Amino acid sequence: MKQLPALHWQILIGMFIGAAVGLPLNILADQGHVSPEWPRQVAFYGKAIGDLFLRLLSMIIAPLIFTSLVTGVTASGSLEGLGRMGLRTIVFYISTSMAAIVTGLILVNLIRPGVGADMAVLQAGAEPVAPAVLEGDGGVGSTLWNQLLNLIPPNPFAALADPTNRSILAVIFFSLLFGIFVVRVGGEHGKRLTDAFNAAFEVMMSLTMFIIRLAPVGVMGFMLYAAAGRGLGVFASLAWYMLTVFCGLAIHACITLPMLAALIARRSPRQFARDMAPALMTAFSTASSNGTLPLTMTCIEQRAGISNRVSSFVLPLGATINMDGTALYEAVAVLFIAQAYGSELTLAQQVIVAFTALLASIGAAGIPHAGTVMMVVVLRAVGLPLDAVGLILAVDRVLDMCRTAVNVWSDATAAAVIERVCQKRVT
Ligand code: ASP
């Protein structure tokens, strides 16, 4: 039988087919050659296919994290080592997110995409903001507090049953505790449970690999949705804003993170990116770092050769709290909105933007558009109108795809760095 091309090629082909069908259809409809109903229908079916794939991935997230983390903790044995790894991971996550925000702030101050933006055009194209976007945010303090509360599940089984959003933090917390106590109990029981979790983890990995084979089709569906679903006109009015976000993301993804991978993790960034390609492309197409998590874990362990001990801890945590791309995007978007409204933010206000964008990115769930929803926290902190979010929703999908890929790339870089740093202490 003839062998199929490697998975990342298949995914790339899926993406290409989605874009090659969706974009021309959109242009033809724009020019009146075909009914606008056509791209809408195609987008609808594309999203349906993509959603099926995302559902399958969501299905395995909770058991995968649970078995993987317990296996990781029991394998590491030393709780002290685990604490050290946790601290380093969090320091790394906060530092890279801050670096991303500073990059975004510098660019948005240099390019100034909002100055002279045609508010009339923007407002005409603005989408109504769902009430959920405007509610439920109590500002910076409550974002942190909620995140802390989210750590402790009132019912771990309910958390395991609902892994689509922040309950992932609760799953991580419970799995860590469970693993730690398996080690503490030790003896015959500890051994039995360790063996059982090792076995369950093997099965979950195998199931994951099976589902991942469907990635090219799922990714094609999402690309169809993204390419056919939006009129092109709106992109023109927000071109400078989008360009600023793209440049910031590109600098972070192609310079800052690779430098860390090369200097601290001592890995060739090019080879590392190749190893992570299936996960990065899936993140790009699905715009969900939670959904991509099973692929990220598989790529990092099986292609990049990073240990389960590190990946099982660093990656699920990263998919939930480490979102460099989202943080950068929020800082740029808020300054763009301020510029468009003609209210330049002072340096002190920009510092507030930086810190609240960091918190908002930590609080954002790894699902599509979560970053935009959390932006309300940042807008509120500097007194900008909350419904300004509506102005930029129209182009959010494309930016979301890019920032999600950067989010996953940053998680992967963290895993490589932490593996290296923790290994050094052992040897
Ligand atoms: N979609 C992003 C993610 O899953 C979050 C965001 O909306 O920025 O990582």
Side-chain angles (χ1 to χ4, degrees):
M1 203 172 82
K2 218 167 158 345
Q3 271 230 302
L4 288 173
L7 181 67
H8 56 275
W9 285 117
Q10 292 181 37
I11 296 180
L12 205 64
I13 293 168
M15 284 167 77
F16 178 77
I17 295 176
V21 174
L23 269 183
L25 205 59
N26 204 321
I27 294 171
L28 287 177
D30 254 5
Q31 296 173 346
H33 297 307
V34 299
S35 146
E37 216 21 63
W38 282 29
R40 235 172 274 150
Q41 285 288 331
V42 168
F44 174 82
Y45 287 114
K47 184 160 187 319
I49 296 172
D51 278 345
L52 267 182
F53 171 61
L54 211 51
R55 270 288 176 115
L56 282 170
L57 286 176
S58 295
M59 173 182 84
I60 51 176
I61 289 174
L64 187 64
I65 297 179
F66 188 38
T67 54
S68 167
L69 258 179
V70 174
T71 310
V73 175
T74 51
S76 79
S78 124
L79 302 185
E80 203 191 307
L82 200 70
R84 249 197 326 257
M85 184 161 83
L87 194 69
R88 284 174 182 181
T89 307
I90 287 174
V91 169
F92 186 86
Y93 279 163
I94 292 180
S95 317
T96 54
S97 293
M98 259 304 169
I101 291 172
V102 170
T103 307
L105 283 178
I106 291 175
L107 283 179
V108 76
N109 279 295
L110 284 179
I111 300 177
R112 300 165 69 76
V115 175
D118 191 342
M119 290 297 280
V121 175
L122 288 185
Q123 251 140 9
E127 304 202 352
V129 185
V133 172
L134 300 179
E135 288 165 2
D137 65 289
V140 177
S142 80
T143 304
L144 257 193
W145 177 242
N146 282 341
Q147 204 62 322
L148 208 65
L149 268 187
N150 283 334
L151 264 182
I152 308 171
N155 174 356
F157 296 102
L160 279 168
D162 172 30
T164 47
N165 47 38
R166 266 151 257 163
S167 57
I168 287 218
L169 272 187
V171 173
I172 294 174
F173 186 68
F174 180 73
S175 312
L176 277 178
L177 277 183
F178 194 88
I180 288 172
F181 278 83
V182 169
V183 176
R184 281 191 69 161
V185 167
E188 186 59 26
H189 291 322
K191 183 174 171 339
R192 239 183 249 159
L193 273 176
T194 305
D195 286 347
F197 270 91
N198 280 341
F201 178 53
E202 279 294 313
V203 174
M204 284 315 303
M205 277 306 254
S206 165
L207 176 56
T208 305
M209 304 282 280
F210 177 74
I211 292 175
I212 284 173
R213 283 209 234 134
L214 303 174
V217 181
V219 158
M220 183 200 72
F222 274 120
M223 283 305 282
L224 263 182
Y225 165 64
R230 286 272 169 220
L232 294 178
V234 66
F235 289 101
S237 58
L238 288 165
W240 283 107
Y241 157 67
M242 293 177 74
L243 188 77
T244 312
V245 178
F246 286 145
C247 286
L249 291 177
I251 291 174
H252 194 67
C254 303
I255 300 177
T256 312
L257 292 175
M259 245 165 53
L260 295 171
L263 296 180
I264 309 182
R266 303 241 166 250
R267 275 175 184 269
S268 142
R270 207 175 270 228
Q271 182 55 44
F272 190 44
R274 228 175 273 146
D275 293 339
M276 295 309 298
L280 297 178
M281 286 191 274
T282 306
F284 178 78
S285 322
T286 59
S288 167
S289 34
N290 276 4
T292 310
L293 185 58
L295 263 120
T296 319
M297 291 176 77
T298 316
C299 289
I300 209 112
E301 287 182 29
Q302 307 206 340
R303 293 168 62 110
I306 288 172
S307 69
N308 169 254
R309 189 178 91 91
V310 169
S311 87
S312 69
F313 176 75
V314 173
L315 293 180
L317 190 67
T320 322
I321 68 164
N322 180 46
M323 301 199 176
D324 294 6
T326 303
L328 184 151
Y329 149 82
E330 297 203 357
V332 172
V334 168
L335 259 82
F336 167 77
I337 288 171
Q339 290 170 354
Y341 276 98
S343 71
E344 291 286 332
L345 296 187
T346 61
L347 188 63
Q349 281 175 310
Q350 295 199 23
V351 172
I352 296 177
V353 168
F355 280 100
T356 43
L358 175 70
L359 288 178
S361 73
I362 291 175
I367 52 175
H369 302 298
T372 317
V373 174
M374 287 302 289
M375 207 165 72
V376 173
V377 176
V378 193
L379 287 173
R380 178 165 284 175
V382 284
L384 285 167
L386 304 189
D387 51 9
V389 174
L391 302 181
I392 51 173
L393 270 187
V395 294
D396 198 49
R397 181 75 194 186
V398 183
L399 297 180
D400 197 3
M401 290 159 74
C402 300
R403 66 185 188 246
T404 308
V406 175
N407 291 346
V408 170
W409 180 223
S410 156
D411 296 343
T413 308
V417 166
I418 298 297
E419 167 99 337
R420 176 79 191 179
V421 175
C422 290
Q423 202 178 41
K424 251 200 216 145
R425 284 192 68 93
V426 176
T427 49

